[in-house]
Amino acid sequence: MFRRKSYYTAYKGRRSRSQKKLLILSILLFLLALAALAYFILPEYIVFSADGFRFTFQPEEEESRSTADDLSEEDLHIVIDGSPATTTPEADPDAPVQAQDTQAPAYPDLHGVADQLSNLLSRKTYGKGLAGAALERGCNTLVFTIKAQDGVVRIPYLSSYATQAAESSDAKAVRDALALLEDSDVLLAARISAFCDAITPRAFAETSLRTGDSTWLDQNSKSWFDPRSDLAAEYLCDLIRACKSAGFDAVILDDLCFPYAGRTELIDYGEEDTPDARRTALEALYKTLRRTADNEGISLSVILETGNAENEESGQYAADMARYFHTVFVEGEVSASLETALTGTGCRIGTIHKGAFKAPADGRSVIAGYLQ
């Protein structure tokens, strides 16, 4: 029999537990969506100040413009001279370093005398006695060889290319002896054989000049750094820093060139070896060494190996050196070509000889073999 549904039969009962959870989850998701929307949008319209924060729906450009309009004329200092605004150009790291910019008056002419480190180590009073005698004779510089062609470094140094055989056993004693001269008025100059080195190029073959699979040796059985090697440049910069730490005021670089004596035809330079390539490689090195010397506050000089202002085989050109070195030294007489190349450059000319020191009448730099 058909029965009509009553009020009681139409009642569905309470919501199930799963329906309640679904409703609560929907509400939470809606609130999270609102929070995310507020997080990404509202910060653009919140302005923080000393009085707290406030909401603003004004575009940023208009806000900054209205702030500028509120400033009084006293708050703005504007100078209009009719000329376009100028800015200071950034320094070009590849621009050549001009030697005359930093030479005078920081680095005087070097009127020096060479001496042996063994004498300095012989007794504590030797150094000060030598300094006093030098100053009395008009000699303002004492020159010591810190690295000769044998490759031994006579002072402590830090380098990625340091070897146990390269640093001398008395390096710390030499440093201590040099420290005794710190309060004297005499300058200290370190002479360094740059590329001719019997130790380090052999230990680090990738830095050396090669002949096939072997390290090339000169007529004195000495190995050479490849002047084109960035690793060799790093090693020289490390030595310059070590000289500064040991109390030196100047560095004089010897053998800063491509080999020009001995069986140089056996050296494997590759297909790109030309006189211009050698000159360019050395000038790039000069620039690197000069920047390091400037950073350390130390004078940098060089020895012109052949005495000629230009030499294609060695790669040395005096005109290039004049831009980066305090003094260009020669062993022997100064050639007319060197005079011409350095005239007006601000780079000094110096001579090195084995005789007794005598203050030069022409004002040039000089390094003598001994004091009278």
Side-chain angles (χ1 to χ4, degrees), residues 215-243:
T215 300
W216 179 81
L217 302 179
D218 64 12
Q219 71 274 24
N220 298 315
S221 298
K222 299 292 192 301
S223 55
W224 282 64
F225 285 106
D226 186 339
R228 303 166 302 178
S229 170
D230 291 337
L231 306 183
E234 180 181 340
Y235 183 65
L236 287 179
C237 288
D238 292 337
L239 292 181
I240 291 174
R241 297 185 187 98
C243 288

Side-chain angles (χ1 to χ4, degrees), residues 44-170:
E44 297 183 13
Y45 302 99
I46 299 177
V47 176
F48 292 90
S49 66
D51 299 324
F53 69 91
R54 59 187 173 86
F55 290 95
T56 176
F57 297 96
Q58 187 176 14
E60 184 177 354
E61 293 183 359
E62 295 181 7
E63 180 74 15
S64 59
R65 189 185 303 116
S66 63
T67 303
D69 293 339
D70 293 338
L71 297 175
S72 64
E73 292 183 0
E74 294 180 355
D75 296 323
L76 301 176
H77 301 281
I78 302 175
V79 179
I80 301 176
D81 59 3
S83 60
T86 59
T87 58
T88 303
E90 295 183 359
D92 182 3
D94 296 324
V97 182
Q98 298 297 330
Q100 57 265 33
D101 291 344
T102 56
Q103 285 179 4
Y107 306 131
D109 286 322
L110 300 179
H111 297 161
V113 62
D115 208 318
Q116 301 296 320
L117 288 171
S118 57
N119 294 333
L120 199 63
L121 295 175
S122 62
R123 58 184 186 275
K124 290 185 177 180
T125 59
Y126 180 86
K128 288 191 174 181
L130 176 63
L135 293 172
E136 288 178 359
R137 292 163 174 77
C139 175
N140 65 358
T141 307
L142 301 180
V143 183
F144 297 99
T145 297
I146 294 305
K147 184 172 83 74
Q149 293 183 348
D150 62 4
V152 177
V153 181
R154 300 299 305 277
I155 56 175
Y157 73 106
L158 296 175
S159 176
S160 300
Y161 307 100
T163 65
Q164 186 174 1
E167 183 174 312
S168 64
S169 58
D170 59 358

Side-chain angles (χ1 to χ4, degrees), residues 221-274:
S221 298
K222 299 292 192 301
S223 55
W224 282 64
F225 285 106
D226 186 339
R228 303 166 302 178
S229 170
D230 291 337
L231 306 183
E234 180 181 340
Y235 183 65
L236 287 179
C237 288
D238 292 337
L239 292 181
I240 291 174
R241 297 185 187 98
C243 288
K244 179 61 178 182
S245 297
F248 284 97
D249 306 286
V251 169
I252 303 171
L253 293 171
D254 198 0
D255 301 316
L256 191 68
C257 62
F258 287 80
Y260 56 90
R263 301 293 302 276
T264 58
E265 72 276 6
L266 298 179
I267 301 174
D268 183 11
Y269 285 114
E271 297 179 356
E272 298 181 357
D273 178 49
T274 64

Side-chain angles (χ1 to χ4, degrees), residues 181-239:
L181 297 172
E182 288 183 355
D183 58 350
S184 66
D185 293 328
V186 72
L187 301 174
L188 296 179
R191 184 169 175 173
I192 292 175
S193 175
F195 291 139
C196 185
D197 185 314
I199 296 177
T200 306
R202 295 191 185 192
F204 298 91
E206 68 274 20
T207 71
S208 68
L209 288 177
R210 311 283 292 173
T211 171
D213 296 330
S214 304
T215 300
W216 179 81
L217 302 179
D218 64 12
Q219 71 274 24
N220 298 315
S221 298
K222 299 292 192 301
S223 55
W224 282 64
F225 285 106
D226 186 339
R228 303 166 302 178
S229 170
D230 291 337
L231 306 183
E234 180 181 340
Y235 183 65
L236 287 179
C237 288
D238 292 337
L239 292 181

Side-chain angles (χ1 to χ4, degrees), residues 98-100 103 279 302 304 306-311 316-330 334-350 364:
Q98 298 297 330
Q100 57 265 33
Q103 285 179 4
R279 181 177 185 176
V302 65
L304 188 67
T306 65
N308 298 322
E310 298 181 359
N311 188 290
Q316 287 187 329
Y317 289 77
D320 298 339
M321 293 175 166
R323 301 164 64 187
Y324 303 96
F325 295 96
H326 171 268
T327 304
V328 173
F329 284 98
V330 293
V334 177
S335 65
S337 61
L338 179 59
E339 289 270 15
T340 302
L342 297 188
T343 297
T345 63
C347 180
R348 289 83 180 275
I349 298 177
R364 289 178 177 169

